[in-house]
Structures are given as C-alpha cells and as structure tokens.
Amino acid sequence: MRLANTKILATVLSVVMSAPTIAADLTTTEAKAKFELLLPFKINQVSDSPLAGFYQLESEKGIFYASRDGEYIFSGSLHSFSDGLLNLTAVRQRELANGQMEAIQDELIVFPAKNEKYRVTVFTDPTCGYCRKLHSEIEQYNDLGITIAYAAFPRGGINSEMDKLLKDVWCSKDHNKALSDAKNDIPIAKGSCQTPVDQMYQIGESLGINGTPAIILPNGEMVPGYRPALQLLQTLENAG
C-alpha cells in the first residue's frame, strides 16, 4: 500500500513540476513600461479593462487590450452583451475624442453654415479624391445647416509631401482659400511657420483614423469616409 501511495505522490509531483509557469500579473505601471518598450508608439494610459484579466491601453494609435501578465495584446471593438451589444471601445473612443478635439478647436479651418444646426470636424488631406468630392459639395452641407470644420491628416504621415502641403495651407494668410486651392491643384505659396498639423495628425491617429475623409460628429463618434450631405444630415439627426 505504501508503495502505491509513493508512486501516486511521485506522479503528482512530476505533473506539478512539468506544468507551465503562470506569469504574474503586471501592475499598470509595469504594463505601460513593458508595452512602450515593445511597441513602436506611445502608451498614454493603462487602466483596468471591462474584460476580466485584461488591461485597457490608450495609445497614440488607438485603444488596445492586453493580458494582465503582459503576454498578449489585441485590438478591436469590445462589446457588452448585457447592454445590448454596446460597443465599449467606441464609447471610450468618443470620450477621448471630445477631450482631444477641444485642444485644436481654434486651429480648424471652418466653412460655416449660415443657419448652423450641426458642426462636424473633418480630418482631411487635399490629395484625397473623396476629400475633394466632399469639399466640392461644401455648399450643400452648409445649406442643410452643417458647418464643416477641417483638421489636417496627411495620409503619408509627418514629413510627407502631403504633410508639407497641409503646412503650407495652415501658414497661408487665407486658410479657406488655400485649402480650396490645394484641393483643386491650384499652387499655393510655400510657408514657414508653426502649424498645428503634426498635433492634428497625432490626434487623428490616436482616434484610430487611418484614412480620409474622417468625420467626427458632435458626440465624438467617428464616421469614416465620404458621406453625401443628405446622408450626413440623417446620421447627425439619428446620433442625437
């Protein structure tokens, strides 16, 4: 009997010793340091995620989720079944957007509606075909009471030719005319000044923007891509 017990104990010990080591959870400070070292972008904040066992990482490239032991990371939308498939990622993204957009409000290039009902921010690039289409219909948006406020988002990134063109626009004396000219391939004067273009681009990336036009509604929700004036009005009315 003793021999049998000894064999059982030896088997248990063998299983325990050969089992994979479970990594200890990192603190939020440790997680931030680790992922900033591994990822090619800045992590702004690490906090508890609605998903048990995961941290929420808010970065200059958007929201990510990471296991608390720091071994796994993923991106995408996190939904809650108990709230009717509420997109928790989008809710947080809207909160971040509202705060970040405040920082650049005075730097936007605005095409105002005379009888404004809504004001949207559009991240734009003068070389983008659908940005040009939207701008060619600016009067239609304005006639429906939609003010268009433009922010810069050079698709080629900082220091690209698109970035240089947008900086020339923001350095011009007449921003509205310069932006319209740039979208119609009319040469504009080269400028040299401090512009908000880099800041706008970084904010756009942190909001998850990866193409233009990208429309930010008053509630902070992002609508990617071109929307005709009537369709955008319906979206705004439904957004509340």
Side-chain angles (χ1 to χ4, degrees):
M1 190 70 176
R2 178 179 295 178
L3 180 60
N5 288 340
T6 301
K7 288 183 176 179
I8 292 172
L9 178 59
T11 301
V12 171
L13 287 174
S14 175
V15 170
V16 170
M17 292 176 69
S18 63
T21 302
I22 299 175
D25 286 355
L26 302 176
T27 65
T28 55
T29 302
E30 290 170 339
K32 184 175 186 295
K34 175 172 182 174
F35 285 110
E36 280 195 329
L37 183 65
L38 296 175
L39 300 171
F41 49 80
K42 181 181 178 183
I43 304 297
N44 297 320
Q45 180 174 314
V46 176
S47 58
D48 289 331
S49 161
L51 182 63
F54 284 81
Y55 282 132
Q56 179 170 287
L57 278 56
E58 295 169 6
S59 78
E60 62 183 10
K61 298 290 187 180
I63 293 177
F64 295 83
Y65 301 95
S67 58
R68 297 178 73 93
D69 60 10
E71 294 300 313
Y72 301 95
I73 184 171
F74 70 91
S75 63
S77 295
L78 180 64
H79 294 78
S80 170
F81 279 110
S82 60
D83 294 313
L85 281 182
L86 177 65
N87 188 332
L88 300 177
T89 306
V91 169
R92 180 55 182 158
Q93 199 70 272
R94 287 198 293 269
E95 293 172 352
L96 292 173
N98 287 333
Q100 291 172 321
M101 296 306 296
E102 283 296 321
I104 58 173
Q105 283 304 304
D106 293 339
E107 306 288 350
L108 302 176
I109 298 178
V110 182
F111 288 78
K114 289 184 179 179
N115 299 305
E116 182 179 304
K117 297 178 183 177
Y118 301 100
R119 175 185 168 115
V120 299
T121 301
V122 179
F123 282 82
T124 193
D125 181 326
T127 67
C128 151
Y130 277 107
C131 295
R132 293 183 173 198
K133 180 171 177 57
L134 187 154
H135 193 67
S136 71
E137 300 167 0
I138 199 79
E139 291 184 1
Q140 296 178 32
Y141 296 94
N142 290 167
D143 288 344
L144 292 175
I146 303 172
T147 289
I148 303 292
Y150 283 116
F153 191 83
R155 293 174 298 154
I158 294 173
N159 295 324
S160 65
E161 290 303 312
M162 303 159 191
D163 177 64
K164 294 173 185 176
L165 177 58
L166 281 161
K167 286 174 178 173
D168 289 339
V169 168
W170 257 264
C171 280
S172 65
K173 291 182 180 179
D174 188 336
H175 293 162
N176 293 56
K177 182 178 184 302
L179 185 59
S180 295
D181 286 348
K183 291 189 176 188
N184 287 286
D185 291 326
I186 299 174
I188 60 175
K190 298 294 182 182
S192 179
C193 68
Q194 291 293 322
T195 76
V197 172
D198 288 357
Q199 181 185 10
M200 290 176 175
Y201 178 75
Q202 289 164 355
I203 288 175
E205 280 206 315
S206 73
L207 298 177
I209 294 173
N210 53 27
T212 54
I215 304 169
I216 308 296
L217 306 184
N219 66 0
E221 181 181 351
M222 183 178 72
V223 178
Y226 162 79
R227 293 292 186 279
L230 278 172
Q231 185 179 338
L232 181 57
L233 179 62
Q234 292 172 351
T235 300
L236 288 163
E237 291 173 342
N238 293 333

